[in-house]
Amino acid sequence: MALLVVMVAFFSATDAQHESAVLHMTRADWQETDTDTETQGTRALPLAVDSQALPPAWQPVELPLALPIALLRQADSAPTGATRTTWLRLSARDLPATTAPLALYGARIKTDGPIAVYANGQLVRRAQVQGPLWNSTRTPLWILLGKTPDSAPVDEILLRMEHSRSAQVAVASLWLGPVGALEGRYRMRQWLQQELPAMLSAAFMAVGVFALFVWFKRSHETGYLLFFNLATTSFLRGLHFYVGVPIANDWFAWLTVNSLFWLVAVVHFALRQLHGRPLRWLTAAVVAWTALIGVLTLPGLAILRNTPQVTPLIYIGAASMGVAVALVGGVSAWRRSSEGRLVAVGIGVCVLLGVSDWLLQNNFVSPEGWYLGAYTNAVTFSVFGTLLYRRYVNAIAEVERVNASLAERLRAREAELELSHRRLREVEKLQTISDERQRLMQDMHDGLGSSLISAIRSVEGGGMSDDKVSQLLKSCLDDLKLTIDSMEPLENDLLLLLATLRYRLGARLESSGVALQWNVQELPALNWLDPTSALHILRIVQESIANILRHTRATEIRVATAADATGVQVTIEDNGQGFDVEKALGAAGGRGMQNQQRRAQIVGGAVSWRSGPAGTLFTLWLPLKREERAGSADAADAADPIRA
């Protein structure tokens, strides 16, 4: 809108600067003559015409000239071949003297045949077209007048207009003057009447093509397809306004006339989709009337001649259909859809613009008026573009609301999960403490507790010497220390666990006169080494060293480690007297060795003995990776022998 105001102001200012250099011709002499029907539209126009040689039937008229038309009479008049020629003679003697190139400008010349213009009797413009023109009335008259052979000033302008016998011509007032003085006026009329509507139609069509591709992806949303059909029919309907070359093709007339009916039909279907009522009787009438007009006006059938004389009557039918669609659709959508009401109002505005064009086309108003129908595309584009815009904005708002709702639900869910996770951590912590307490109580009950009870009974019965009691108590103390050591953080390091055991048993070995050789090497980390597993390993190694001290009379113990691709092994070798391994495992006193086997199985490992006269080799193998196994220290602790 701002661009429109700026351009109008610019062109108006340009015209005002040169207003005194132009001649506004509002009077002319007029007459009509018969045209040879056999050569009309085919013979060459004369290059020179002397107005004095024409019949002396000139009549003075005022410009603009718009004689009234009897529509019904012209529709039933003579055959198409019967034509007449209207002549207008205009005087240019009052034109201010100028050396600048001259131009002739007129807002509109209405005729359904060729136009020729003569300056001082010489042909300066001709449009040799066979058949009725379909877009000449939308194009302003703009003729550049060349210099006459003798460089004489222009004294007379002669217009020759062919038309059917029953049709009446219309001519706006004409302007003659320098090109620079009139070009702004012509450009403004040309831009507002043709170029701007053409740009609006092209924009509408571009958005319509976009809507079509959207419909390809979302075929269930027929609104996009309807929008494309609206853009297409509106584009075809507006061909009158921006096709610059004179068009005389019957199919062009059929296309532009019938596209108006197609446009109204598409709008009806769009309205029906908005208010949700089927309106079957109106739909059937719209479709039938549109199809009937299309068939009757087909150029090949010639049932209803689609000529400039008949077309105004056809437009009355289109306007009636548009009014019916607007009224019925508006009433149906009044309480159902605000968008439907907007479309109904838009249809009403387009009908009014079309009626103004119809009045202008049929000489009921001055030919210097504006074809407002050129902007029906803009109205249609604005109305349905507003609908798409609203739906687009509402869709974005809906997505934002959904996202906000999802974000709120996510925050609430995260809070619930955090609370649940905190509770689970508390429960897990309490469960871990409870499990560890139960494990320690069970271990002390089955190990240390059993040994103390045995010692108490022996002391009470008087069957144990003080040295044995002292030795038993020291063993209980070592067992308690091992239990405590198993709770230290080991970081999956088996060597650290063995070092702890060496520290606890070093003094006891030294007091027993047994030398300890510590030949260990770096071992890979055991990811499964937790406090429970650590206690099993300590008990296995402790039991092996205790058996050496009690039964083998060894003077040297060698502890070594090794690793392979699947696990690690701990070996304990002594130089004491050997024993029969099979017999020891089967005897009642071999419960300690059996417990070593059970503990090794619990942690996923294995133990083995190889004994002879030169000593015994005990091997504990542990896997690098361990599968979870059922069982716990309870099974092994329950089988611990009562330490004596």
PDB file of all heavy atoms in Angstrom, residues 476-498:
ATOM      1  N   CYS A 476      41.512 -66.391  66.966  1.00  0.00           N
ATOM      2  CA  CYS A 476      40.236 -65.657  66.889  1.00  0.00           C
ATOM      3  C   CYS A 476      40.473 -64.185  66.586  1.00  0.00           C
ATOM      4  O   CYS A 476      39.732 -63.560  65.813  1.00  0.00           O
ATOM      5  CB  CYS A 476      39.473 -65.801  68.207  1.00  0.00           C
ATOM      6  SG  CYS A 476      38.855 -67.476  68.523  1.00  0.00           S
ATOM      7  N   LEU A 477      41.539 -63.633  67.179  1.00  0.00           N
ATOM      8  CA  LEU A 477      41.854 -62.237  66.927  1.00  0.00           C
ATOM      9  C   LEU A 477      42.252 -62.022  65.464  1.00  0.00           C
ATOM     10  O   LEU A 477      41.832 -61.047  64.831  1.00  0.00           O
ATOM     11  CB  LEU A 477      42.981 -61.793  67.859  1.00  0.00           C
ATOM     12  CG  LEU A 477      43.389 -60.315  67.747  1.00  0.00           C
ATOM     13  CD1 LEU A 477      42.217 -59.411  68.080  1.00  0.00           C
ATOM     14  CD2 LEU A 477      44.563 -60.029  68.686  1.00  0.00           C
ATOM     15  N   ASP A 478      43.059 -62.970  64.932  1.00  0.00           N
ATOM     16  CA  ASP A 478      43.426 -62.871  63.511  1.00  0.00           C
ATOM     17  C   ASP A 478      42.191 -62.957  62.613  1.00  0.00           C
ATOM     18  O   ASP A 478      42.083 -62.253  61.601  1.00  0.00           O
ATOM     19  CB  ASP A 478      44.415 -63.984  63.154  1.00  0.00           C
ATOM     20  CG  ASP A 478      45.776 -63.777  63.796  1.00  0.00           C
ATOM     21  OD1 ASP A 478      46.072 -62.617  64.160  1.00  0.00           O
ATOM     22  OD2 ASP A 478      46.529 -64.754  63.916  1.00  0.00           O
ATOM     23  N   ASP A 479      41.268 -63.821  62.990  1.00  0.00           N
ATOM     24  CA  ASP A 479      40.057 -63.975  62.188  1.00  0.00           C
ATOM     25  C   ASP A 479      39.225 -62.693  62.208  1.00  0.00           C
ATOM     26  O   ASP A 479      38.670 -62.279  61.185  1.00  0.00           O
ATOM     27  CB  ASP A 479      39.242 -65.143  62.734  1.00  0.00           C
ATOM     28  CG  ASP A 479      38.129 -65.540  61.795  1.00  0.00           C
ATOM     29  OD1 ASP A 479      38.437 -65.948  60.653  1.00  0.00           O
ATOM     30  OD2 ASP A 479      36.947 -65.411  62.173  1.00  0.00           O
ATOM     31  N   LEU A 480      39.162 -62.059  63.369  1.00  0.00           N
ATOM     32  CA  LEU A 480      38.442 -60.801  63.478  1.00  0.00           C
ATOM     33  C   LEU A 480      39.104 -59.727  62.630  1.00  0.00           C
ATOM     34  O   LEU A 480      38.432 -58.937  61.945  1.00  0.00           O
ATOM     35  CB  LEU A 480      38.379 -60.370  64.941  1.00  0.00           C
ATOM     36  CG  LEU A 480      37.696 -59.014  65.217  1.00  0.00           C
ATOM     37  CD1 LEU A 480      36.250 -59.038  64.744  1.00  0.00           C
ATOM     38  CD2 LEU A 480      37.772 -58.679  66.709  1.00  0.00           C
ATOM     39  N   LYS A 481      40.427 -59.705  62.649  1.00  0.00           N
ATOM     40  CA  LYS A 481      41.148 -58.713  61.848  1.00  0.00           C
ATOM     41  C   LYS A 481      40.922 -58.936  60.347  1.00  0.00           C
ATOM     42  O   LYS A 481      40.807 -57.976  59.576  1.00  0.00           O
ATOM     43  CB  LYS A 481      42.640 -58.767  62.171  1.00  0.00           C
ATOM     44  CG  LYS A 481      42.976 -58.275  63.584  1.00  0.00           C
ATOM     45  CD  LYS A 481      44.451 -58.393  63.852  1.00  0.00           C
ATOM     46  CE  LYS A 481      44.804 -57.870  65.253  1.00  0.00           C
ATOM     47  NZ  LYS A 481      46.260 -57.989  65.545  1.00  0.00           N
ATOM     48  N   LEU A 482      40.885 -60.206  59.928  1.00  0.00           N
ATOM     49  CA  LEU A 482      40.628 -60.482  58.514  1.00  0.00           C
ATOM     50  C   LEU A 482      39.240 -59.998  58.092  1.00  0.00           C
ATOM     51  O   LEU A 482      39.047 -59.474  56.989  1.00  0.00           O
ATOM     52  CB  LEU A 482      40.769 -61.977  58.227  1.00  0.00           C
ATOM     53  CG  LEU A 482      42.186 -62.561  58.266  1.00  0.00           C
ATOM     54  CD1 LEU A 482      42.134 -64.040  57.991  1.00  0.00           C
ATOM     55  CD2 LEU A 482      43.061 -61.862  57.247  1.00  0.00           C
ATOM     56  N   THR A 483      38.280 -60.198  58.976  1.00  0.00           N
ATOM     57  CA  THR A 483      36.927 -59.735  58.666  1.00  0.00           C
ATOM     58  C   THR A 483      36.901 -58.224  58.493  1.00  0.00           C
ATOM     59  O   THR A 483      36.255 -57.693  57.585  1.00  0.00           O
ATOM     60  CB  THR A 483      35.955 -60.159  59.776  1.00  0.00           C
ATOM     61  OG1 THR A 483      35.984 -61.590  59.912  1.00  0.00           O
ATOM     62  CG2 THR A 483      34.544 -59.705  59.468  1.00  0.00           C
ATOM     63  N   ILE A 484      37.624 -57.550  59.363  1.00  0.00           N
ATOM     64  CA  ILE A 484      37.682 -56.088  59.258  1.00  0.00           C
ATOM     65  C   ILE A 484      38.435 -55.677  58.001  1.00  0.00           C
ATOM     66  O   ILE A 484      38.042 -54.738  57.291  1.00  0.00           O
ATOM     67  CB  ILE A 484      38.339 -55.494  60.520  1.00  0.00           C
ATOM     68  CG1 ILE A 484      37.457 -55.786  61.755  1.00  0.00           C
ATOM     69  CG2 ILE A 484      38.564 -53.998  60.359  1.00  0.00           C
ATOM     70  CD1 ILE A 484      38.079 -55.402  63.067  1.00  0.00           C
ATOM     71  N   ASP A 485      39.537 -56.388  57.698  1.00  0.00           N
ATOM     72  CA  ASP A 485      40.318 -56.037  56.509  1.00  0.00           C
ATOM     73  C   ASP A 485      39.532 -56.213  55.214  1.00  0.00           C
ATOM     74  O   ASP A 485      39.773 -55.510  54.227  1.00  0.00           O
ATOM     75  CB  ASP A 485      41.593 -56.902  56.452  1.00  0.00           C
ATOM     76  CG  ASP A 485      42.585 -56.522  57.550  1.00  0.00           C
ATOM     77  OD1 ASP A 485      42.476 -55.401  58.081  1.00  0.00           O
ATOM     78  OD2 ASP A 485      43.458 -57.348  57.873  1.00  0.00           O
ATOM     79  N   SER A 486      38.604 -57.166  55.196  1.00  0.00           N
ATOM     80  CA  SER A 486      37.825 -57.390  53.971  1.00  0.00           C
ATOM     81  C   SER A 486      36.922 -56.209  53.635  1.00  0.00           C
ATOM     82  O   SER A 486      36.456 -56.089  52.501  1.00  0.00           O
ATOM     83  CB  SER A 486      36.974 -58.661  54.118  1.00  0.00           C
ATOM     84  OG  SER A 486      35.948 -58.468  55.093  1.00  0.00           O
ATOM     85  N   MET A 487      36.693 -55.333  54.621  1.00  0.00           N
ATOM     86  CA  MET A 487      35.832 -54.172  54.393  1.00  0.00           C
ATOM     87  C   MET A 487      36.603 -52.969  53.877  1.00  0.00           C
ATOM     88  O   MET A 487      36.016 -51.953  53.524  1.00  0.00           O
ATOM     89  CB  MET A 487      35.117 -53.795  55.699  1.00  0.00           C
ATOM     90  CG  MET A 487      34.231 -54.914  56.249  1.00  0.00           C
ATOM     91  SD  MET A 487      33.549 -54.516  57.855  1.00  0.00           S
ATOM     92  CE  MET A 487      32.599 -53.071  57.482  1.00  0.00           C
ATOM     93  N   GLU A 488      37.919 -53.046  53.815  1.00  0.00           N
ATOM     94  CA  GLU A 488      38.716 -51.940  53.308  1.00  0.00           C
ATOM     95  C   GLU A 488      38.532 -51.802  51.790  1.00  0.00           C
ATOM     96  O   GLU A 488      38.358 -52.798  51.094  1.00  0.00           O
ATOM     97  CB  GLU A 488      40.196 -52.172  53.628  1.00  0.00           C
ATOM     98  CG  GLU A 488      40.530 -52.115  55.109  1.00  0.00           C
ATOM     99  CD  GLU A 488      40.379 -50.718  55.686  1.00  0.00           C
ATOM    100  OE1 GLU A 488      40.546 -49.748  54.913  1.00  0.00           O
ATOM    101  OE2 GLU A 488      40.068 -50.604  56.885  1.00  0.00           O
ATOM    102  N   PRO A 489      38.601 -50.568  51.266  1.00  0.00           N
ATOM    103  CA  PRO A 489      38.527 -50.396  49.802  1.00  0.00           C
ATOM    104  C   PRO A 489      39.750 -50.974  49.120  1.00  0.00           C
ATOM    105  O   PRO A 489      40.885 -50.598  49.435  1.00  0.00           O
ATOM    106  CB  PRO A 489      38.459 -48.865  49.642  1.00  0.00           C
ATOM    107  CG  PRO A 489      39.038 -48.303  50.894  1.00  0.00           C
ATOM    108  CD  PRO A 489      38.691 -49.271  51.993  1.00  0.00           C
ATOM    109  N   LEU A 490      39.518 -51.912  48.203  1.00  0.00           N
ATOM    110  CA  LEU A 490      40.618 -52.628  47.557  1.00  0.00           C
ATOM    111  C   LEU A 490      40.873 -52.148  46.139  1.00  0.00           C
ATOM    112  O   LEU A 490      41.929 -52.459  45.565  1.00  0.00           O
ATOM    113  CB  LEU A 490      40.298 -54.137  47.529  1.00  0.00           C
ATOM    114  CG  LEU A 490      40.057 -54.786  48.902  1.00  0.00           C
ATOM    115  CD1 LEU A 490      39.640 -56.223  48.714  1.00  0.00           C
ATOM    116  CD2 LEU A 490      41.304 -54.703  49.762  1.00  0.00           C
ATOM    117  N   GLU A 491      39.882 -51.439  45.526  1.00  0.00           N
ATOM    118  CA  GLU A 491      40.008 -50.960  44.150  1.00  0.00           C
ATOM    119  C   GLU A 491      40.332 -52.106  43.186  1.00  0.00           C
ATOM    120  O   GLU A 491      41.154 -51.972  42.288  1.00  0.00           O
ATOM    121  CB  GLU A 491      41.080 -49.870  44.049  1.00  0.00           C
ATOM    122  CG  GLU A 491      40.758 -48.648  44.884  1.00  0.00           C
ATOM    123  CD  GLU A 491      41.811 -47.571  44.759  1.00  0.00           C
ATOM    124  OE1 GLU A 491      42.845 -47.841  44.103  1.00  0.00           O
ATOM    125  OE2 GLU A 491      41.616 -46.468  45.302  1.00  0.00           O
ATOM    126  N   ASN A 492      39.696 -53.280  43.449  1.00  0.00           N
ATOM    127  CA  ASN A 492      39.821 -54.448  42.566  1.00  0.00           C
ATOM    128  C   ASN A 492      41.250 -54.994  42.492  1.00  0.00           C
ATOM    129  O   ASN A 492      41.619 -55.645  41.518  1.00  0.00           O
ATOM    130  CB  ASN A 492      39.332 -54.102  41.146  1.00  0.00           C
ATOM    131  CG  ASN A 492      37.921 -53.559  41.144  1.00  0.00           C
ATOM    132  OD1 ASN A 492      37.086 -53.977  41.932  1.00  0.00           O
ATOM    133  ND2 ASN A 492      37.662 -52.609  40.255  1.00  0.00           N
ATOM    134  N   ASP A 493      42.057 -54.687  43.502  1.00  0.00           N
ATOM    135  CA  ASP A 493      43.477 -55.065  43.490  1.00  0.00           C
ATOM    136  C   ASP A 493      43.678 -56.273  44.399  1.00  0.00           C
ATOM    137  O   ASP A 493      43.603 -56.170  45.635  1.00  0.00           O
ATOM    138  CB  ASP A 493      44.325 -53.890  43.952  1.00  0.00           C
ATOM    139  CG  ASP A 493      45.807 -54.124  43.688  1.00  0.00           C
ATOM    140  OD1 ASP A 493      46.167 -55.261  43.326  1.00  0.00           O
ATOM    141  OD2 ASP A 493      46.592 -53.172  43.849  1.00  0.00           O
ATOM    142  N   LEU A 494      43.947 -57.422  43.787  1.00  0.00           N
ATOM    143  CA  LEU A 494      44.170 -58.646  44.560  1.00  0.00           C
ATOM    144  C   LEU A 494      45.469 -58.578  45.349  1.00  0.00           C
ATOM    145  O   LEU A 494      45.566 -59.101  46.472  1.00  0.00           O
ATOM    146  CB  LEU A 494      44.170 -59.859  43.615  1.00  0.00           C
ATOM    147  CG  LEU A 494      44.399 -61.223  44.261  1.00  0.00           C
ATOM    148  CD1 LEU A 494      43.304 -61.537  45.285  1.00  0.00           C
ATOM    149  CD2 LEU A 494      44.461 -62.318  43.197  1.00  0.00           C
ATOM    150  N   LEU A 495      46.499 -57.936  44.796  1.00  0.00           N
ATOM    151  CA  LEU A 495      47.783 -57.831  45.501  1.00  0.00           C
ATOM    152  C   LEU A 495      47.638 -57.046  46.796  1.00  0.00           C
ATOM    153  O   LEU A 495      48.281 -57.378  47.818  1.00  0.00           O
ATOM    154  CB  LEU A 495      48.823 -57.167  44.594  1.00  0.00           C
ATOM    155  CG  LEU A 495      49.272 -57.980  43.380  1.00  0.00           C
ATOM    156  CD1 LEU A 495      50.344 -57.221  42.628  1.00  0.00           C
ATOM    157  CD2 LEU A 495      49.791 -59.351  43.805  1.00  0.00           C
ATOM    158  N   LEU A 496      46.793 -56.005  46.768  1.00  0.00           N
ATOM    159  CA  LEU A 496      46.561 -55.239  47.989  1.00  0.00           C
ATOM    160  C   LEU A 496      45.892 -56.092  49.045  1.00  0.00           C
ATOM    161  O   LEU A 496      46.229 -56.002  50.246  1.00  0.00           O
ATOM    162  CB  LEU A 496      45.701 -54.014  47.659  1.00  0.00           C
ATOM    163  CG  LEU A 496      45.394 -53.064  48.820  1.00  0.00           C
ATOM    164  CD1 LEU A 496      46.682 -52.510  49.402  1.00  0.00           C
ATOM    165  CD2 LEU A 496      44.488 -51.934  48.369  1.00  0.00           C
ATOM    166  N   LEU A 497      44.985 -56.957  48.616  1.00  0.00           N
ATOM    167  CA  LEU A 497      44.329 -57.864  49.562  1.00  0.00           C
ATOM    168  C   LEU A 497      45.334 -58.853  50.152  1.00  0.00           C
ATOM    169  O   LEU A 497      45.356 -59.101  51.378  1.00  0.00           O
ATOM    170  CB  LEU A 497      43.196 -58.603  48.844  1.00  0.00           C
ATOM    171  CG  LEU A 497      42.379 -59.579  49.686  1.00  0.00           C
ATOM    172  CD1 LEU A 497      41.616 -58.838  50.769  1.00  0.00           C
ATOM    173  CD2 LEU A 497      41.401 -60.356  48.807  1.00  0.00           C
ATOM    174  N   LEU A 498      46.207 -59.412  49.313  1.00  0.00           N
ATOM    175  CA  LEU A 498      47.219 -60.356  49.813  1.00  0.00           C
ATOM    176  C   LEU A 498      48.223 -59.656  50.724  1.00  0.00           C
ATOM    177  O   LEU A 498      48.706 -60.249  51.715  1.00  0.00           O
ATOM    178  CB  LEU A 498      47.935 -61.005  48.628  1.00  0.00           C
ATOM    179  CG  LEU A 498      47.064 -61.891  47.726  1.00  0.00           C
ATOM    180  CD1 LEU A 498      47.889 -62.412  46.562  1.00  0.00           C
ATOM    181  CD2 LEU A 498      46.470 -63.054  48.522  1.00  0.00           C
TER     182      LEU A 498
END
